[in-house]
Amino acid sequence: MRECIAEHGAFIEIHVATPLEVCEARDRKGLYEKARKGIIPEFTGISDPYGAPEYPEIRLDTTDPSSVEAAQEIFLYLVSEGYLDGGGRAENRFQCAEDRSEGGNSPRDRGP
């Protein structure tokens, strides 16, 4: 997958590695329960195998951190790797292929 996407721009794999028990406890719609009863077939992690990515750029276990803290970890990665400047604006290396073909005239490049 990485190779297919990377040719069009940046690809950053983020693995949300939250344990299955935590996902089930947070499931407000009861999908995991239905999957365990066989009502929903081929449910990833229950009746369908799940293969965790081997080398994601970011691996987040959201058991304890808040969604804001998880988002901050992703933001800090993007800044440290040069995808965003400190103000959250995209750098040129994060442009879409369409933007590059137009000479970088996307709204992201023009600033606020």
Side-chain angles (χ1 to χ4, degrees):
M1 163 120 18
R2 180 181 299 270
E3 294 79 21
C4 295
I5 295 172
E7 69 184 61
H8 300 287
F11 178 86
I12 301 164
E13 186 170 34
I14 301 171
H15 177 211
V16 180
T18 305
L20 182 60
E21 302 79 41
V22 174
C23 294
E24 289 186 80
R26 292 178 179 169
D27 181 21
R28 291 183 256 167
K29 295 181 180 180
L31 298 177
Y32 285 95
E33 182 181 356
K34 290 177 184 176
R36 289 203 179 275
K37 291 179 179 178
I39 298 169
I40 301 175
E42 300 175 16
F43 195 87
T44 304
I46 304 296
S47 55
D48 200 35
Y50 173 73
E54 292 183 24
Y55 306 107
E57 283 76 14
I58 302 171
R59 190 177 309 270
L60 293 173
D61 179 343
T62 62
T63 301
D64 294 320
S66 69
S67 56
V68 171
E69 291 168 322
Q72 181 179 18
E73 187 172 337
I74 295 168
F75 175 78
L76 292 174
Y77 173 85
L78 294 173
V79 170
S80 71
E81 294 298 314
Y83 290 101
L84 296 175
D85 65 19
R89 291 181 296 274
E91 297 293 327
N92 286 339
R93 70 184 270 203
F94 200 62
Q95 287 180 311
C96 296
E98 299 81 36
D99 296 340
R100 285 194 302 272
S101 66
E102 296 172 10
N105 292 323
S106 77
R108 290 189 303 267
D109 299 320
R110 290 193 287 272

